Amino acid sequence: MASRSADPRTGNGSAPSIDAVSLAIIEQLQEDGRRPYAAIGKAVGLSEAAVRQRVQKLLDQGVMQIVAVTDPLTVGFRRQAMVGINVEGDLDPVAEALTAMAECEYVVMTAGSFDLMVEVVCEDDDHLLDVINKRIRALPGVRSTESFVYLKLKKQTYMWGTR
């Protein structure tokens, strides 16, 4: 059995522990990432300063990010796909190369039919073909790919962190 490497956010092999108040703060920010700390404090029973400190700690630990989420279609990215990738040998170099590609928005190592799953966001079909055919398939160790082109996005939420 492989040993767990140290988590850079906590300095040990475990994830940071999150209490109920921090989860409530995260939930408030998931509803509105621009919600004032004073309003969050009122909702969770803390002062504005205490909320500010907890949010900063959550950010520093890598528990959450506060970002603007766009609809890719409205900002010029008309083609999205999930790409399943099978790799010969070590997955890490391939995963690292994929994370360096701007078009790869999501890269995970998986168990099952594929070694890696990658969400790719592109301007159009030609761009997607170029990314898959000339960049992903050209990576050393990539044995095969299977593409799942998105036809219509029905649901995309970011609320799973507090369920």
Side-chain angles (χ1 to χ4, degrees):
M1 181 160 132
S3 64
R4 269 179 91 159
S5 58
D7 186 322
R9 297 166 296 184
T10 61
N12 60 37
S14 64
S17 67
I18 309 298
D19 65 13
V21 175
S22 290
L23 286 174
I25 291 170
I26 293 168
E27 190 172 67
Q28 290 285 310
L29 289 168
Q30 285 177 323
E31 289 174 8
D32 179 358
R34 297 178 63 197
R35 184 165 288 156
Y37 290 149
I40 295 171
K42 187 174 183 179
V44 302
L46 292 178
S47 69
E48 178 180 353
V51 170
R52 184 180 314 279
Q53 288 175 340
R54 280 188 181 241
V55 167
Q56 190 58 54
K57 183 177 178 185
L58 292 166
L59 293 168
D60 291 345
Q61 291 177 328
V63 170
M64 68 174 193
Q65 300 174 41
I66 300 173
V67 298
V69 178
T70 61
D71 175 351
L73 289 173
T74 64
V75 292
F77 297 101
R78 296 185 319 270
R79 180 56 69 215
Q80 292 178 268
M82 185 65 69
V83 181
I85 303 171
N86 285 309
V87 175
E88 289 182 18
D90 190 0
L91 300 180
D92 283 321
V94 177
E96 290 302 318
L98 293 166
T99 62
M101 293 182 193
E103 294 87 355
C104 297
E105 295 292 326
Y106 179 80
V107 178
V108 293
M109 294 177 178
T110 63
S113 299
F114 299 103
D115 298 314
L116 299 165
M117 293 292 290
V118 180
E119 184 176 42
V120 179
V121 179
C122 296
E123 295 167 8
D124 53 31
D125 287 337
D126 288 335
H127 186 195
L128 177 63
L129 179 60
D130 182 70
V131 169
I132 293 170
N133 195 44
K134 294 191 170 124
R135 295 176 59 205
I136 294 175
R137 288 182 178 157
L139 291 172
V142 171
R143 185 177 56 211
S144 65
T145 65
E146 184 172 347
S147 302
F148 304 89
V149 175
Y150 298 2
L151 298 176
K152 186 173 188 177
L153 181 64
K154 293 295 282 182
K155 180 178 181 180
Q156 181 174 347
T157 66
Y158 299 95
M159 302 301 285
W160 49 265
T162 60
R163 280 190 275 143

